[in-house]
Amino acid sequence: MIKVTFIEYDGTRTTVEGRNGDSVMSLAAAQGIDGIVAECGGGMMCATCHCYVDDKWFARTGPRSDDEADMLDCAVAEVRQTSRLSCQITLSDALDGLVVHLPETQV
């Protein structure tokens, strides 16, 4: 199992476990993580699964696609250098221990 820690805007930390191939968004939704709305269910049609990947982990999540960057332009919260759509981050053994920070609001 791959551990992911979600840090909410207020500093609340929740660590959950997922499987290889799961998206960070689907893991958050399945575990009821506040801060990931996921209105489109992972179809990259909204930005309600926007997250900030911890600096230490950002390079390991891979680059944003052009489509992801375009969708992030629609995010309600500030887009930062480490912004990603959590539906586009696929869990793997290399991401065991991943830390993501959640914006104050998604909608």
Side-chain angles (χ1 to χ4, degrees), residues 50-85:
H50 176 207
C51 68
Y52 306 115
V53 177
D54 194 83
D55 290 338
K56 175 182 171 185
W57 291 94
F58 186 71
R60 295 186 206 182
T61 63
R64 294 181 206 150
S65 69
D66 290 341
D67 290 339
E68 182 180 359
D70 288 345
M71 195 52 55
L72 281 166
D73 286 340
C74 301
V76 172
E78 172 192 9
V79 175
R80 300 177 185 165
Q81 195 74 355
T82 60
S83 288
R84 290 294 308 270
L85 296 179

Side-chain angles (χ1 to χ4, degrees), residues 1-2 17-27 30 86-87 89-92 95:
M1 297 300 274
I2 299 160
E17 294 183 342
R19 296 181 309 262
N20 275 304
D22 289 345
S23 72
V24 171
M25 182 222 65
S26 64
L27 176 62
S86 60
C87 67
I89 303 171
T90 303
L91 295 180
S92 67
L95 293 180

